Structure formats: structure tokens, C-alpha cells
Amino acid sequence: MTMEMIAPDWMHQQITAEQYDSWSEEQCAGIEIVDGMVVVVPSASILHNRLSRIITNALDAAGGSAWNADYDFDVRLQDVPLTNRRPDVVVYRAEAIRTMPARPEDVLLVAEIVSPGSESTDRIFKPQQYARAGVAHYWRVEQPSTGVPVVYAYILDPAAATYNEAGVHVGTVEATTPFAVKIDLTHL
């Protein structure tokens, strides 16, 4: 076993919010923190990245000046134990652009694009965490090996801290969050 194969010590201990906030962008890239423990996020495929970019751009345009849509940054779901997720797409209040990591109260919607190896996490664990944190909308995007993407839209039931299905969209997403959006996913 070479030194390159040995994980750094910080990957084997619980991380606090203060420790994480002191890390560089390079240290934070490609990881999430769940219950204080580092989870390495595998690199996304080209199709995954393209789908993420198309959805992000459409949501950003639909949000106007009130909301921004972005990808590849932290959403701080809880401080203790630290839970930071990096959704594939995040829609958040425009005035919160300098508040990073983003906080659930500033986040309108998160979208996760399911990839091989992330099925259980994106279908079960992440929706539970986002709902408990109070994120109003969750989209799960499935990429069938043949055909066009399918978007499963969910809306938060705040009393139960769970999501209720709000629609299934095949190829074209036509949804209303606080703003209406139409996204054509048939030309990937």
C-alpha cells in the first residue's frame, strides 16, 4: 500500500462546522459531510453534468431577480452533527448569494440527478434530510439508459417533515414553485 492510497486522518474522525469552515475550497470539493463524517462524492458523468447544467440554467432564468440557481456548493442542513450536502442543483434566494454554505431557510428547491451508485442516497436518504431541514421542493431526476430523463417533483409537508409527490415529468418539466418553469430535457 502506497502513501497515496491511505486516506487522510480527517476522513476518519467526526468533523465540526468550525473545522469544515476553515478548510480550503479544494479540501471541500468532491465531498459531503453527513452526521459529521466525510463522504466522498464520485465524479459525475458528462451526461450527468450536462443535465445538471440544463436544469440549472432554466431554473436560474425562471427565477428572475428573486432567485438564483447554481450547482456544486454546500447546503448546510444542520450544524451539530454537521451535515453539508452538495445537491446537483440548488435554487436559493438571490439575497443569500454571499451566505455560503447556503442555509435551508434560503433554499427553495434542490434537485438530485440519480447516478449509478447514488440510487439509495438520492431516492431515500437525501430527501429525508432535505425535508427535515425544511427545503420546500425536491426534484429527483432519473436517467434511464434509453429514453429521456424523468423528473419526480416533491413538495414539503412541513407538519410531517416529509415530501408529497407533486408530479412526474417525462422529457419536459412544467412545474410551478414560487415561479413557473418549463424545461425541455428531450435533446440531451
Side-chain angles (χ1 to χ4, degrees), residues 14-17 33-37 77-84:
Q14 200 165 35
I15 305 301
T16 67
I33 308 292
V34 179
D35 293 331
M37 300 304 292
L77 299 179
Q78 65 185 39
D79 288 315
V80 180
L82 178 61
T83 299
N84 273 7

Side-chain angles (χ1 to χ4, degrees), residues 61 78 111 114 117 140 153 187:
Q78 65 185 39
V114 178
R140 186 183 81 237
H187 298 92

Side-chain angles (χ1 to χ4, degrees), residues 112-153:
E112 294 286 357
I113 300 168
V114 178
S115 299
S118 74
E119 292 94 347
S120 295
T121 302
D122 292 340
R123 292 178 184 146
I124 300 168
F125 301 113
K126 285 184 180 182
Q128 292 171 349
Q129 290 173 334
Y130 295 138
R132 281 195 310 269
V135 175
H137 299 269
Y138 177 72
W139 288 2
R140 186 183 81 237
V141 183
E142 301 277 347
Q143 304 177 78
S145 57
T146 58
V148 296
V150 179
V151 177
Y152 296 87

